[in-house]
Amino acid sequence: MSRIKRWINMHKEEFNADGTLKDEVRQQKLSKGTHPGAIDSYARRVKEEYDEWKHLDETDPEPWPIYTAYDFFTEQEKKEFNPDGSLRPEYVEYARQIGISESALEQLEWRKKIEVDDYNEMSAEHVEQGINFGEWLMEGRIVNSRTYVQRRQQMEQDLRNFEDADSLPFDKDTAF
């Protein structure tokens, strides 16, 4: 999303979408005794920032990777569900063969479709604020996976140092 959308979201209380100070804000500041020159200076500085962000959007747009709810499905879920949350026909056939009831399958599909719809709704709401929801979620997953690896490496070191089992982040018999 553009920097300008983020700028507008940050400054919407005091500034118009074109980067100019709202008249009612100017009047409010004047009524509180703020010097007109100080108000003009403030409005000019913020407008310059707006112009800079707008120029950057035009000359060097930020990358905006597109993620869908399907990108956050586990590998197992990708075998069972389509990107829209509906069950894959081959999974339905398999599930029936192993005795999963029709109502259970309908419930699974219903829940996954709600999950997909919720993701899409959150993504759309965040776009209005200039936030890439999918990218934010993906970055969180990446950080969490790094944290896990780092904690696991620390645990290996702790085991070599004969640390107390209670102080380890994982059960030493299941961590590896």
Side-chain angles (χ1 to χ4, degrees):
M1 186 51 59
S2 71
R3 292 174 183 96
I4 283 300
K5 280 198 176 193
R6 280 198 314 277
W7 186 94
I8 291 169
N9 192 50
M10 290 184 329
H11 296 284
K12 65 185 169 195
E13 301 296 321
E14 292 187 326
F15 289 85
N16 297 309
D18 65 355
T20 58
L21 185 66
K22 291 181 178 180
D23 288 334
E24 60 268 20
V25 172
R26 178 179 301 280
Q27 294 306 318
Q28 183 183 38
K29 289 182 180 292
L30 286 171
S31 71
K32 290 183 177 178
T34 306
H35 188 278
I39 297 170
D40 292 341
S41 175
Y42 171 64
R44 188 175 42 259
R45 284 191 321 272
V46 177
K47 175 72 166 124
E48 286 172 0
E49 179 187 63
Y50 169 90
D51 291 340
E52 180 183 345
W53 285 35
K54 184 175 181 189
H55 176 74
L56 283 171
D57 275 349
E58 294 165 355
T59 59
D60 186 23
E62 293 179 320
W64 190 269
I66 304 297
Y67 293 98
T68 66
Y70 189 73
D71 294 315
F72 297 94
F73 286 12
T74 65
E75 289 308 310
Q76 183 61 38
E77 289 172 329
K78 288 179 179 181
K79 292 174 186 172
E80 298 171 2
F81 296 97
N82 293 310
D84 68 351
S86 61
L87 286 167
R88 293 186 179 276
E90 57 273 16
Y91 177 74
V92 171
E93 184 181 318
Y94 163 76
R96 285 181 182 145
Q97 288 174 359
I98 63 169
I100 297 177
S101 71
E102 195 66 36
S103 64
L105 291 172
E106 288 172 3
Q107 184 77 345
L108 276 174
E109 185 174 80
W110 177 75
R111 285 185 181 159
K112 187 52 78 175
K113 283 185 174 186
I114 287 176
E115 187 179 307
V116 169
D117 289 346
D118 287 348
Y119 173 88
N120 292 338
E121 186 178 319
M122 289 295 292
S123 187
E125 288 175 8
H126 281 75
V127 163
E128 293 173 9
Q129 299 171 25
I131 299 168
N132 186 330
F133 181 68
E135 183 178 32
W136 176 76
L137 283 178
M138 192 60 74
E139 287 174 358
R141 283 192 170 189
I142 291 167
V143 166
N144 286 343
S145 69
R146 286 185 188 149
T147 302
Y148 171 79
V149 170
Q150 291 168 343
R151 289 188 331 203
R152 190 170 152 206
Q153 289 171 343
Q154 182 62 50
M155 182 172 161
E156 290 171 2
Q157 180 66 43
D158 290 345
L159 286 170
R160 286 192 295 273
N161 292 336
F162 304 103
E163 293 289 332
D164 213 13
D166 293 345
S167 70
L168 301 174
F170 308 109
D171 180 346
K172 67 179 181 177
D173 298 323
T174 61
F176 303 103

